[in-house]
Amino acid sequence: MIPSSKITPESIFLNRRRFIQGMAGVGLMSTPLIGHALQFKSNPEYKPALELTDPEHALHYNNFYELGTAKSDPFQNAEALHTDDWKVVVEGECTKPQTFDMDDLLRIDQEERIYRFRCVEGWSMVVPWIGFPLSKLLEKVQPTSKAHYVEFVSVLDRKNLPGQRFNLLDWPYKEGLRMDEAMHPLTLMATGLYGKELANQNGAPIRLIVPWKYGFKSSKSIVKIRLLEKQPISTWMEAAPREYGFYSNVNPNVSHPRWSQAKERPLGSFLKQKTLMFNGYAEEVAHLYKGMDLKKYF
Ligand SMILES: Nc1nc2c(c(=O)[nH]1)N[C@H]1C(S)=C(S)[C@@H](COP(=O)(O)O)O[C@H]1N2
Ligand SMILES: [Mo]
């Protein structure tokens, strides 16, 4: 995939899109410019009155260690990620394990949702994702009563992905959610961003988005989803267990061992702002953690 920003300036695209949106209201839209046409509807339930992050930042300041550790690496090395004939295997504790190709996944109704996104490093953004609730995919494989956790496995391609030539992390990148977190309506499988299919550097062709958790829980370029009875060990837990827990809910009151999480810097802004409990989604998700000590289950 050619990074879209190499084809057209994002500002032109955005203005054009706003114009089209203005005409079409919340009707069915497709991408007006180059790239795979994504059919999607804007979901008015997830259209907060927040200023969107300039796509220049969201597309060029990335964490995607498979493509390198510097923030500019994922965009620069984007072509090293090969997304042709992508498949997502869904297996484990379910009665109908299946392999889905991208056509199957794009046949699920795609919607646009504007979410806050907060990296554990202390920066944040507000971006319009396109995708579908993960619950819609999990329902298709019919989880058994033993499916208590979900594991997400990202792409493994040591030959092409520059970051995987080093064992900086235990590849492939793995993450996990509790079943109720995975089935929560906010939990999204994203296939697009800013009205277009996902750019490679953002985790093409399909990634997870869990907006109330730190960004590293939102795995990119997923190839396998496993339903499990026991809690899996995620890549960052394994790398630094005292720093990165399984839950990793955004919480301004629980510091990272090396820095405070009370504030964040929105990409494109010089000033910091206060970080919100559960990244502003407390009303929707706080009940999932009732009675849990959030300092212990960080
Ligand atoms: N496979 C994979 N997924 C990943 C990462 C990664 O290195 N590899 N980085 C995570 C981190 S730390 C963040 S903040 C987000 C960044 O997403 P973005 O580049 O689209 O903003 O992706 C997350 N998902
Ligand atoms: Mo992150």
Side-chain angles (χ1 to χ4, degrees):
M1 191 197 298
I2 301 163
S4 51
S5 52
K6 280 190 181 161
I7 299 166
T8 176
E10 290 299 328
S11 54
I12 293 173
F13 172 79
L14 268 192
N15 287 337
R16 182 140 166 214
R17 185 160 157 264
R18 268 194 210 110
F19 172 68
I20 288 165
Q21 241 177 349
M23 297 199 327
V26 292
L28 198 67
M29 295 184 288
S30 65
T31 52
L33 295 180
I34 303 165
H36 206 108
L38 262 186
Q39 299 285 333
F40 64 93
K41 281 182 190 155
S42 171
N43 185 333
E45 260 189 76
Y46 304 99
K47 239 181 157 183
L50 295 170
E51 197 187 330
L52 290 188
T53 298
D54 186 332
E56 283 301 319
H57 297 294
L59 297 172
H60 300 113
Y61 185 93
N62 302 98
N63 278 329
F64 194 177
Y65 278 20
E66 288 87 336
L67 293 174
T69 54
K71 294 288 185 282
S72 54
D73 284 345
F75 170 70
Q76 257 161 34
N77 298 327
E79 274 147 65
L81 175 67
H82 297 195
T83 59
D84 294 347
D85 299 319
W86 198 269
K87 288 186 177 56
V88 179
V89 176
V90 187
E91 61 176 30
E93 284 296 340
C94 58
T95 53
K96 288 191 169 169
Q98 280 167 73
T99 299
F100 299 89
D101 61 27
M102 284 311 293
D103 281 346
D104 298 327
L105 297 169
L106 290 170
R107 228 173 275 132
I108 301 172
D109 282 345
Q110 309 286 309
E111 55 180 90
E112 183 180 63
R113 297 181 178 196
I114 297 169
Y115 279 170
R116 295 186 200 82
F117 188 93
R118 167 66 155 81
C119 174
V120 73
E121 296 163 346
W123 53 266
S124 66
M125 56 185 186
V126 175
V127 296
W129 301 106
I130 298 162
F132 55 88
L134 172 61
S135 63
K136 287 201 190 172
L137 180 58
L138 295 183
E139 279 159 9
K140 287 185 191 289
V141 302
Q142 298 180 0
T144 69
S145 59
K146 283 196 204 159
H148 300 316
Y149 293 91
V150 185
E151 183 178 50
F152 304 88
V153 184
S154 293
V155 59
L156 181 67
D157 183 1
R158 289 186 189 276
K159 206 176 80 181
N160 293 305
L161 294 169
Q164 290 187 338
R165 285 177 208 141
F166 311 96
N167 290 323
L168 183 70
L169 292 173
D170 182 27
W171 307 115
Y173 192 97
K174 289 180 225 72
E175 257 308 337
L177 294 173
R178 218 169 55 189
M179 193 62 180
D180 57 348
E181 298 175 323
M183 295 301 285
H184 193 282
L186 281 172
T187 303
L188 206 67
M189 291 304 285
T191 56
L193 187 56
Y194 292 103
K196 290 187 271 191
E197 62 180 7
L198 277 179
N200 283 3
Q201 63 269 28
N202 294 102
I206 188 161
R207 72 176 295 182
L208 182 66
I209 292 295
V210 195
W212 71 94
K213 291 177 180 282
Y214 291 118
F216 65 86
K217 298 292 293 182
S218 293
S219 295
K220 293 178 167 179
S221 305
I222 291 171
V223 296
K224 195 178 281 185
I225 299 176
R226 281 198 199 106
L227 294 154
L228 302 173
E229 191 171 0
K230 299 221 170 74
Q231 181 187 296
I233 304 288
S234 57
T235 298
W236 281 109
M237 285 169 76
E238 189 167 85
R242 275 185 299 264
E243 302 196 5
Y244 307 106
F246 179 77
Y247 285 91
S248 293
N249 292 313
V250 174
N251 188 339
N253 309 313
V254 176
S255 297
H256 184 277
R258 291 183 279 128
W259 59 86
S260 163
Q261 294 291 22
K263 290 186 172 179
E264 66 200 43
R265 192 179 70 82
L267 293 184
S269 156
F270 293 106
L271 298 175
K272 289 190 175 182
Q273 65 186 30
K274 278 191 179 159
T275 288
L276 302 173
M277 189 64 205
F278 296 114
N279 203 25
Y281 299 98
E283 213 174 292
E284 290 95 327
V285 303
H287 70 274
L288 297 176
Y289 311 103
K290 222 170 95 188
M292 279 174 71
D293 177 352
L294 298 179
K295 282 204 165 73
K296 185 176 170 205
Y297 296 100
F298 62 98

